[in-house]
Amino acid sequence: MPASSTTRIIANGRIWSAAAGAAERGGALESPPQAIVVHHGRIAAIGPLRELQPRFPGAELFDAGGRLVTPGFIDCHTHIVHAGTRAAEFERRRAGESYQSIAKSGGGILSTVAATRQASLQQLIDTALPRVDALIADGLTTLEVKSGYGLDLDTELRMLRAARAIADLRALNVATTYLGAHALPPEHAGDAEGYVQRLCAELLPTVAASGLADAFDAYCESVAFTPQQVAKIFQAAQQCGLRVKLHADQLSNLHGARLAAQHQALSADHLEYTDEEGVAALARAGTVAVILPGAFYFLREQQRPPIEALRRARVAMAVATDCNPGTSPLCSLLTAMNLAAVEFGLTTEECLAGVTCHAARALGLHDAVGTLEPGKWCDAAIWDVAHPAELVNNLGARPLHRRFWHGQPDA
Ligand SMILES: [Zn+2]
């Protein structure tokens, strides 16, 4: 979708946005009502309306009515493109069956792999769109989409194509991630080394050459890939010109955070079991810590990520939905913010920075989106709330008044 060529002024909005420089620390403050001038989809100026209006005669005026204006929300970690449902597994777990037993009987990630391999491109798009629309209704303007439920070349490419198609069908930015090391594909059962070799020599170079992936991701865990395997795969990904991300330290401490930092990863995600040394490594590398409270809540985990240590070390913390059919079927960033606050103790400011400026950094898109500053895309959300804390506090409310993508308001 093209950016609007109209010059537009969003007037009378109380702007919450991390300011230049302060963006990395999430040190944002709500401003008194100000105007945002948008030209060709980008922010041209921010300031008092009486000063800006004469400079941009003929600009179309949008009155925000004194409402809160934030950067458009960014979900920097999703598995939103997939086929099938795992709701029956949810019921089995409620009835007392363990996740391991369900996985053994063909459930878990591999059941989604089986369903996704059978789905056409159109089916993948059609089933993802309602979930994407739910995120958009909560102010989303940038979405990360991972592959990883194909684990064979055709399906992985089809998933990435579906993700790119979503960007054409909806007014939002889509960042794609090739999650080639999500799980061992069934045809490689018992042969992890064989798959790693094939991934490095064949799959990664082909996916990278397709131009369909903006980054590469892996799952470092006892039930997935070892740190040694991930290191090898990361090296291959980087040789193909892809930035890396890592599902790290979710269920145990395999020093995934340190591994991610050693490879200058954009982000290390989950981090429930990350220790002080891992936190220090993230801080040194400037790798974003992506907090995923949905999976923690849904799996009824007990181990919380080291929020206080991350805070002390000034590691940028992002908050994402991890939207996936098995462990976090969550299609709302507002709910993810509430979970991050209630379960992990994040402040309102941390939650908002987590779904705006820090999420942008986790995708390497911080020069283009994530804050409301001149030169960046005017991706913004206008909210019917008296105070920013209501966005975190009010569970299940739909406070979005209007969403702007590249300067264009939703109808
Ligand atoms: Zn994930």
mmCIF file of all heavy atoms in Angstrom, residues 336-365:
data_model
loop_
_atom_site.group_PDB
_atom_site.id
_atom_site.type_symbol
_atom_site.label_atom_id
_atom_site.label_comp_id
_atom_site.label_asym_id
_atom_site.label_seq_id
_atom_site.Cartn_x
_atom_site.Cartn_y
_atom_site.Cartn_z
ATOM 1 N N ALA A 336 -0.556 -8.322 26.047
ATOM 2 C CA ALA A 336 0.845 -8.679 26.328
ATOM 3 C C ALA A 336 1.462 -7.669 27.293
ATOM 4 O O ALA A 336 2.218 -8.033 28.202
ATOM 5 C CB ALA A 336 1.654 -8.730 25.028
ATOM 6 N N MET A 337 1.126 -6.382 27.125
ATOM 7 C CA MET A 337 1.638 -5.355 28.041
ATOM 8 C C MET A 337 1.102 -5.574 29.448
ATOM 9 O O MET A 337 1.845 -5.464 30.436
ATOM 10 C CB MET A 337 1.225 -3.965 27.544
ATOM 11 C CG MET A 337 2.012 -3.493 26.324
ATOM 12 S SD MET A 337 1.132 -2.208 25.396
ATOM 13 C CE MET A 337 1.192 -0.841 26.519
ATOM 14 N N ASN A 338 -0.181 -5.913 29.552
ATOM 15 C CA ASN A 338 -0.756 -6.167 30.870
ATOM 16 C C ASN A 338 -0.060 -7.357 31.542
ATOM 17 O O ASN A 338 0.285 -7.311 32.726
ATOM 18 C CB ASN A 338 -2.264 -6.427 30.742
ATOM 19 C CG ASN A 338 -2.887 -6.785 32.082
ATOM 20 O OD1 ASN A 338 -2.916 -7.949 32.463
ATOM 21 N ND2 ASN A 338 -3.347 -5.779 32.814
ATOM 22 N N LEU A 339 0.163 -8.427 30.769
ATOM 23 C CA LEU A 339 0.842 -9.610 31.316
ATOM 24 C C LEU A 339 2.269 -9.261 31.747
ATOM 25 O O LEU A 339 2.746 -9.717 32.785
ATOM 26 C CB LEU A 339 0.865 -10.740 30.287
ATOM 27 C CG LEU A 339 -0.489 -11.356 29.914
ATOM 28 C CD1 LEU A 339 -0.317 -12.370 28.780
ATOM 29 C CD2 LEU A 339 -1.142 -12.020 31.112
ATOM 30 N N ALA A 340 2.955 -8.442 30.943
ATOM 31 C CA ALA A 340 4.335 -8.049 31.276
ATOM 32 C C ALA A 340 4.358 -7.245 32.574
ATOM 33 O O ALA A 340 5.287 -7.374 33.377
ATOM 34 C CB ALA A 340 4.947 -7.239 30.137
ATOM 35 N N ALA A 341 3.331 -6.435 32.774
ATOM 36 C CA ALA A 341 3.263 -5.627 33.996
ATOM 37 C C ALA A 341 2.894 -6.491 35.202
ATOM 38 O O ALA A 341 3.538 -6.428 36.252
ATOM 39 C CB ALA A 341 2.247 -4.499 33.815
ATOM 40 N N VAL A 342 1.857 -7.333 35.042
ATOM 41 C CA VAL A 342 1.362 -8.109 36.182
ATOM 42 C C VAL A 342 2.322 -9.254 36.529
ATOM 43 O O VAL A 342 2.657 -9.468 37.693
ATOM 44 C CB VAL A 342 -0.050 -8.664 35.881
ATOM 45 C CG1 VAL A 342 -0.499 -9.636 36.973
ATOM 46 C CG2 VAL A 342 -1.048 -7.514 35.733
ATOM 47 N N GLU A 343 2.782 -9.984 35.514
ATOM 48 C CA GLU A 343 3.613 -11.166 35.780
ATOM 49 C C GLU A 343 5.068 -10.811 36.041
ATOM 50 O O GLU A 343 5.750 -11.477 36.810
ATOM 51 C CB GLU A 343 3.549 -12.136 34.585
ATOM 52 C CG GLU A 343 2.151 -12.667 34.267
ATOM 53 C CD GLU A 343 1.726 -13.784 35.222
ATOM 54 O OE1 GLU A 343 2.412 -14.041 36.215
ATOM 55 O OE2 GLU A 343 0.669 -14.397 34.950
ATOM 56 N N PHE A 344 5.578 -9.781 35.335
ATOM 57 C CA PHE A 344 7.020 -9.492 35.413
ATOM 58 C C PHE A 344 7.347 -8.137 36.057
ATOM 59 O O PHE A 344 8.515 -7.799 36.222
ATOM 60 C CB PHE A 344 7.646 -9.516 34.003
ATOM 61 C CG PHE A 344 7.536 -10.840 33.293
ATOM 62 C CD1 PHE A 344 7.604 -10.897 31.908
ATOM 63 C CD2 PHE A 344 7.383 -12.027 33.987
ATOM 64 C CE1 PHE A 344 7.523 -12.108 31.228
ATOM 65 C CE2 PHE A 344 7.286 -13.253 33.324
ATOM 66 C CZ PHE A 344 7.357 -13.290 31.945
ATOM 67 N N GLY A 345 6.331 -7.337 36.362
ATOM 68 C CA GLY A 345 6.578 -6.079 37.054
ATOM 69 C C GLY A 345 7.072 -4.942 36.186
ATOM 70 O O GLY A 345 7.662 -3.982 36.691
ATOM 71 N N LEU A 346 6.853 -5.013 34.877
ATOM 72 C CA LEU A 346 7.254 -3.889 34.030
ATOM 73 C C LEU A 346 6.385 -2.660 34.332
ATOM 74 O O LEU A 346 5.192 -2.794 34.629
ATOM 75 C CB LEU A 346 7.142 -4.246 32.539
ATOM 76 C CG LEU A 346 8.450 -4.735 31.887
ATOM 77 C CD1 LEU A 346 8.890 -6.054 32.493
ATOM 78 C CD2 LEU A 346 8.281 -4.875 30.383
ATOM 79 N N THR A 347 6.977 -1.479 34.247
ATOM 80 C CA THR A 347 6.220 -0.241 34.442
ATOM 81 C C THR A 347 5.464 0.098 33.155
ATOM 82 O O THR A 347 5.722 -0.484 32.098
ATOM 83 C CB THR A 347 7.160 0.932 34.762
ATOM 84 O OG1 THR A 347 7.987 1.163 33.608
ATOM 85 C CG2 THR A 347 8.056 0.628 35.962
ATOM 86 N N THR A 348 4.560 1.065 33.257
ATOM 87 C CA THR A 348 3.834 1.533 32.071
ATOM 88 C C THR A 348 4.813 1.999 30.998
ATOM 89 O O THR A 348 4.680 1.667 29.819
ATOM 90 C CB THR A 348 2.896 2.702 32.446
ATOM 91 O OG1 THR A 348 1.908 2.203 33.345
ATOM 92 C CG2 THR A 348 2.216 3.289 31.222
ATOM 93 N N GLU A 349 5.815 2.789 31.425
ATOM 94 C CA GLU A 349 6.816 3.309 30.475
ATOM 95 C C GLU A 349 7.561 2.169 29.803
ATOM 96 O O GLU A 349 7.808 2.200 28.596
ATOM 97 C CB GLU A 349 7.828 4.187 31.214
ATOM 98 C CG GLU A 349 7.244 5.447 31.796
ATOM 99 C CD GLU A 349 7.323 6.596 30.809
ATOM 100 O OE1 GLU A 349 8.422 6.865 30.317
ATOM 101 O OE2 GLU A 349 6.276 7.193 30.524
ATOM 102 N N GLU A 350 7.942 1.160 30.585
ATOM 103 C CA GLU A 350 8.678 0.022 30.017
ATOM 104 C C GLU A 350 7.802 -0.751 29.041
ATOM 105 O O GLU A 350 8.265 -1.201 27.993
ATOM 106 C CB GLU A 350 9.178 -0.897 31.133
ATOM 107 C CG GLU A 350 10.371 -0.324 31.890
ATOM 108 C CD GLU A 350 10.722 -1.109 33.147
ATOM 109 O OE1 GLU A 350 9.824 -1.784 33.720
ATOM 110 O OE2 GLU A 350 11.892 -1.048 33.577
ATOM 111 N N CYS A 351 6.523 -0.912 29.388
ATOM 112 C CA CYS A 351 5.608 -1.625 28.481
ATOM 113 C C CYS A 351 5.462 -0.856 27.163
ATOM 114 O O CYS A 351 5.527 -1.449 26.080
ATOM 115 C CB CYS A 351 4.238 -1.793 29.131
ATOM 116 S SG CYS A 351 4.193 -3.034 30.432
ATOM 117 N N LEU A 352 5.271 0.457 27.261
ATOM 118 C CA LEU A 352 5.074 1.248 26.042
ATOM 119 C C LEU A 352 6.344 1.294 25.196
ATOM 120 O O LEU A 352 6.297 1.133 23.973
ATOM 121 C CB LEU A 352 4.614 2.661 26.402
ATOM 122 C CG LEU A 352 3.110 2.797 26.687
ATOM 123 C CD1 LEU A 352 2.791 4.158 27.292
ATOM 124 C CD2 LEU A 352 2.294 2.585 25.408
ATOM 125 N N ALA A 353 7.494 1.486 25.842
ATOM 126 C CA ALA A 353 8.757 1.453 25.096
ATOM 127 C C ALA A 353 8.955 0.060 24.490
ATOM 128 O O ALA A 353 9.510 -0.085 23.403
ATOM 129 C CB ALA A 353 9.929 1.809 26.014
ATOM 130 N N GLY A 354 8.464 -0.955 25.213
ATOM 131 C CA GLY A 354 8.630 -2.343 24.775
ATOM 132 C C GLY A 354 7.874 -2.684 23.506
ATOM 133 O O GLY A 354 8.260 -3.616 22.793
ATOM 134 N N VAL A 355 6.809 -1.969 23.231
ATOM 135 C CA VAL A 355 6.041 -2.246 22.008
ATOM 136 C C VAL A 355 6.218 -1.134 20.974
ATOM 137 O O VAL A 355 5.504 -1.091 19.977
ATOM 138 C CB VAL A 355 4.537 -2.472 22.291
ATOM 139 C CG1 VAL A 355 4.343 -3.676 23.209
ATOM 140 C CG2 VAL A 355 3.889 -1.237 22.899
ATOM 141 N N THR A 356 7.167 -0.209 21.252
ATOM 142 C CA THR A 356 7.433 0.859 20.270
ATOM 143 C C THR A 356 8.937 0.912 19.966
ATOM 144 O O THR A 356 9.424 0.138 19.158
ATOM 145 C CB THR A 356 6.875 2.223 20.770
ATOM 146 O OG1 THR A 356 7.455 2.550 22.038
ATOM 147 C CG2 THR A 356 5.364 2.189 20.898
ATOM 148 N N CYS A 357 9.679 1.785 20.662
ATOM 149 C CA CYS A 357 11.083 2.016 20.261
ATOM 150 C C CYS A 357 11.962 0.782 20.437
ATOM 151 O O CYS A 357 12.801 0.493 19.572
ATOM 152 C CB CYS A 357 11.665 3.225 20.998
ATOM 153 S SG CYS A 357 11.627 3.116 22.790
ATOM 154 N N HIS A 358 11.777 0.027 21.519
ATOM 155 C CA HIS A 358 12.647 -1.135 21.721
ATOM 156 C C HIS A 358 12.275 -2.278 20.770
ATOM 157 O O HIS A 358 13.135 -3.036 20.331
ATOM 158 C CB HIS A 358 12.592 -1.590 23.173
ATOM 159 C CG HIS A 358 13.194 -0.575 24.107
ATOM 160 N ND1 HIS A 358 13.000 -0.599 25.460
ATOM 161 C CD2 HIS A 358 13.986 0.499 23.862
ATOM 162 C CE1 HIS A 358 13.654 0.420 26.022
ATOM 163 N NE2 HIS A 358 14.243 1.092 25.067
ATOM 164 N N ALA A 359 10.984 -2.396 20.466
ATOM 165 C CA ALA A 359 10.563 -3.413 19.493
ATOM 166 C C ALA A 359 11.128 -3.085 18.112
ATOM 167 O O ALA A 359 11.532 -3.975 17.362
ATOM 168 C CB ALA A 359 9.042 -3.500 19.448
ATOM 169 N N ALA A 360 11.183 -1.784 17.786
ATOM 170 C CA ALA A 360 11.762 -1.372 16.493
ATOM 171 C C ALA A 360 13.231 -1.786 16.430
ATOM 172 O O ALA A 360 13.715 -2.287 15.419
ATOM 173 C CB ALA A 360 11.625 0.139 16.311
ATOM 174 N N ARG A 361 13.943 -1.577 17.538
ATOM 175 C CA ARG A 361 15.364 -1.936 17.584
ATOM 176 C C ARG A 361 15.550 -3.453 17.459
ATOM 177 O O ARG A 361 16.502 -3.923 16.837
ATOM 178 C CB ARG A 361 15.975 -1.415 18.888
ATOM 179 C CG ARG A 361 17.466 -1.604 19.008
ATOM 180 C CD ARG A 361 18.068 -0.739 20.101
ATOM 181 N NE ARG A 361 18.172 0.658 19.727
ATOM 182 C CZ ARG A 361 19.142 1.170 18.964
ATOM 183 N NH1 ARG A 361 20.102 0.391 18.505
ATOM 184 N NH2 ARG A 361 19.152 2.443 18.654
ATOM 185 N N ALA A 362 14.620 -4.215 18.046
ATOM 186 C CA ALA A 362 14.708 -5.686 17.967
ATOM 187 C C ALA A 362 14.571 -6.176 16.527
ATOM 188 O O ALA A 362 14.927 -7.313 16.221
ATOM 189 C CB ALA A 362 13.627 -6.325 18.843
ATOM 190 N N LEU A 363 14.034 -5.313 15.658
ATOM 191 C CA LEU A 363 13.889 -5.666 14.243
ATOM 192 C C LEU A 363 14.900 -4.915 13.373
ATOM 193 O O LEU A 363 14.891 -5.059 12.139
ATOM 194 C CB LEU A 363 12.463 -5.348 13.763
ATOM 195 C CG LEU A 363 11.349 -6.114 14.488
ATOM 196 C CD1 LEU A 363 9.981 -5.631 14.021
ATOM 197 C CD2 LEU A 363 11.490 -7.614 14.253
ATOM 198 N N GLY A 364 15.736 -4.092 13.993
ATOM 199 C CA GLY A 364 16.689 -3.285 13.219
ATOM 200 C C GLY A 364 15.999 -2.183 12.429
ATOM 201 O O GLY A 364 16.542 -1.674 11.454
ATOM 202 N N LEU A 365 14.780 -1.804 12.856
ATOM 203 C CA LEU A 365 14.011 -0.800 12.105
ATOM 204 C C LEU A 365 13.925 0.531 12.848
ATOM 205 O O LEU A 365 13.070 1.368 12.548
ATOM 206 C CB LEU A 365 12.580 -1.321 11.849
ATOM 207 C CG LEU A 365 12.466 -2.561 10.967
ATOM 208 C CD1 LEU A 365 11.003 -3.026 10.888
ATOM 209 C CD2 LEU A 365 12.991 -2.265 9.566
#
